[in-house]
Amino acid sequence: MDKRITILGSTGSIGTQALEVCQAAGFTVAGLAAYQNEELLEQQVRAFRPAMVCIYAEDHYRSFCQRVADLDVQVVTGLEGLCQLAAETDADIVLNAVSGMIGLRPTLAAIEAGRDVALANKETLVTGGELVMQRAKEKGVRILPVDSEHSAIFQCLEGYHHCRLNKILLTASGGPFFGKTRHELTQVQPEDALKHPNWSMGAKITIDSATMMNKGLEVIEAVHLFGVRPEQIQVVVHRESIIHSLVEFEDYAVIGQLGVPDMKIPIQYALTWPERMPCPTKRLNLAEWGKLTFFEPDLETFDCLAAAYDAIQRGGLYPTLLNSANEQLVSLFLQRKISFLRIGELARRALELDGSRPVTLSNILEAEQTARNFVLEHC
Ligand code: NDP
Ligand code: MG
């Protein structure tokens, strides 16, 4: 298979696994972007020889240019550079794997340029879901989910688009604090929350998994990707992360997608869709697992999940307020400036801000600032 891929966030957890997939599949890398990790980005540029590369942090631009001065590669920087990379590289598909809602504008830039998008960056759909799905439809661009649950749902629905869907069963690992009470979480430190039982991921999403905000963001992501109502999405805690999600049709037939917990499988499927090919990962041996377990989520302890349902039910800019407050709160928690439980408390309170204005790009960016300021004033 001959494909040209641009990767935004190539030095991260998803980005490096995507490059492994590209290498194994023999795909051409058209463009790469990172925030500031010059050393790894340079290695990637030397190994994959993209035509364009973005180092987002402007104070790293000059030194990065020097690093790759002997190569035939155009170096760009900043948000403008990131959007240019998403739009202008000659890619069949742009994989957006940056972390946080900074991913929204490059996603829109790729869509405007008519490029298909493989979307790992869930914050893009949480904040700009209406805009992104609408513009993608108008431009005939495909949004291919990379998040393992959404890839699973996407795969379960293939061939059944004419059937009535009752609900989506969105699986959740439950994170490192499954079964704990709020009282037991009062003393949690970043190093405790960064220990995920099943997945090795970037810091922000790992904290989101510990608070279950990640599952909340995924509920919102699923509403936009699959055009369902929030109440049609049921979160089921499944500790083993073998069933990546399921769908129930009107005849109560339930279809799920299974596999070892390795992001390379959904990353590769987004890049090869509608084809499949062998993936550089382990195969699932069900007998080795013996049993799979399922539980109801604890919405009282994990109030971030309840807040996400609330935000998407209200619609408008409420998901942006929640997401932006959460981005700020996670950063403060990682800097040890707030406690673990404060994340949920303040994220929920950010929903008291006004999110009723129309969902336009400028209103989204303004709501982001309002929520971040609210957190900084109240933490
Ligand atoms: P990481 O923190 O590991 O990586 C983030 C990547 O984005 C790094 O390459 C980072 O560069 C880069 N980056 C951050 N900001 C910018 C910017 N402004 N411009 C250009 N590059 C930038 O995150 P993950 O890979 O874990 O997650 C990425 C996204 O995928 C998130 O939205 C997450 O929710 C989603 N996701 C991740 C999963 C996983 O298993 N990791 C699973 C499902 C979804 P640098 O290294 O220089 O900082
Ligand atoms: Mg996921």
Side-chain angles (χ1 to χ4, degrees):
M1 203 182 296
D2 189 22
K3 290 250 176 174
R4 298 179 56 79
I5 322 280
T6 284
I7 304 176
L8 315 182
S10 62
T11 52
S13 161
I14 294 286
T16 50
Q17 295 181 81
L19 282 171
E20 273 182 62
V21 166
C22 288
Q23 186 149 38
F27 294 157
T28 304
V29 173
L32 293 172
Y35 182 68
Q36 61 175 8
N37 187 341
E38 289 188 33
E39 195 174 333
L40 183 52
L41 190 60
E42 179 191 348
Q43 283 172 22
Q44 294 178 341
V45 170
R46 292 195 182 277
F48 292 93
R49 299 301 169 109
M52 196 190 284
V53 60
C54 173
I55 181 101
Y56 185 91
E58 290 176 12
D59 51 336
H60 287 257
Y61 175 69
R62 288 189 65 177
S63 54
F64 189 73
C65 285
Q66 278 161 12
R67 282 177 177 264
V68 295
D70 59 315
L71 300 176
D72 184 19
V73 59
Q74 184 186 352
V75 185
V76 293
T77 187
L79 185 56
E80 208 177 301
L82 190 61
C83 291
Q84 189 185 348
L85 182 87
E88 287 180 16
T89 48
D90 165 29
D92 300 313
I93 186 157
V94 176
L95 168 61
N96 187 342
V98 304
S99 156
M101 65 180 287
I102 192 74
L104 175 58
R105 275 172 288 179
T107 302
L108 289 169
I111 293 170
E112 290 309 318
R115 301 199 191 283
D116 287 347
V117 178
L119 200 58
N121 179 254
K122 62 193 80 186
E123 296 89 346
T124 280
L125 286 179
V126 170
T127 56
E130 285 93 341
L131 293 182
V132 167
M133 296 312 286
Q134 179 66 30
R135 270 321 268 161
K137 198 169 159 196
E138 286 161 8
K139 298 289 287 185
V141 157
R142 289 182 195 285
I143 306 292
L144 293 149
V146 171
D147 211 344
S148 57
E149 296 78 1
H150 304 76
S151 173
I153 298 159
F154 180 75
Q155 294 178 59
C156 294
L157 292 174
E158 272 180 307
Y160 291 109
H161 291 287
H162 58 292
C163 298
R164 186 182 298 174
L165 180 68
N166 276 349
K167 65 175 178 180
I168 288 173
L169 294 134
L170 189 74
T171 52
S173 73
F177 305 135
F178 171 73
K180 301 266 191 241
T181 60
R182 285 185 76 78
H183 179 69
E184 289 171 303
L185 296 181
T186 47
Q187 300 301 326
V188 162
Q189 295 301 311
E191 51 277 18
D192 309 316
L194 285 169
K195 276 183 213 138
H196 195 278
N198 303 341
W199 302 94
S200 159
M201 309 179 286
K204 195 262 175 179
I205 183 177
T206 307
I207 302 301
D208 286 348
S209 299
T211 60
M212 287 194 80
M213 179 62 91
N214 181 52
K215 211 46 55 182
L217 300 180
E218 289 184 359
V219 167
I220 302 174
E221 189 185 5
V223 164
H224 292 297
L225 274 172
F226 305 111
V228 294
R229 298 185 307 279
E231 55 275 19
Q232 284 178 284
I233 304 175
Q234 181 187 350
V235 172
V236 183
V237 176
H238 163 49
R239 295 293 285 156
E240 297 80 12
S241 300
I242 293 297
I243 303 182
H244 299 303
S245 278
L246 314 94
V247 299
E248 182 196 89
F249 291 103
E250 65 175 329
D251 59 355
Y252 304 137
V254 175
I255 296 187
Q257 187 259 329
L258 287 72
V260 292
D262 184 336
M263 285 307 295
K264 287 198 285 297
I265 299 175
I267 292 169
Q268 177 173 296
Y269 192 59
L271 300 180
T272 63
W273 180 89
E275 310 294 333
R276 292 184 187 269
M277 61 192 291
C279 183
T281 185
K282 282 201 299 197
R283 292 167 75 175
L284 176 62
N285 179 346
L286 276 177
E288 235 172 52
W289 287 86
K291 65 177 181 191
L292 300 176
T293 59
F294 306 94
F295 305 88
E296 294 276 357
D298 171 359
L299 294 178
E300 213 169 293
T301 302
F302 299 99
D303 51 351
C304 288
L305 178 55
Y309 270 103
D310 187 9
I312 187 64
Q313 250 135 10
R314 295 196 211 185
L317 297 170
Y318 288 100
T320 297
L321 291 171
L322 183 73
N323 177 78
S324 314
N326 181 59
E327 286 190 24
Q328 191 65 57
L329 287 158
V330 170
S331 153
L332 290 167
F333 172 67
L334 286 170
Q335 298 166 54
R336 299 178 192 277
K337 291 191 175 151
I338 59 165
S339 71
F340 181 74
L341 290 177
R342 197 81 179 124
I343 300 177
E345 286 163 11
L346 275 183
R348 265 190 301 132
R349 283 192 50 207
L351 294 178
E352 290 164 17
L353 298 165
D354 180 20
S356 60
R357 286 183 305 148
V359 181
T360 62
L361 184 58
S362 61
N363 286 348
I364 290 171
L365 300 176
E366 215 178 297
E368 175 187 17
Q369 222 36 65
T370 308
R372 284 183 185 274
N373 292 342
F374 171 81
V375 165
L376 292 170
E377 281 160 22
H378 292 83
C379 68

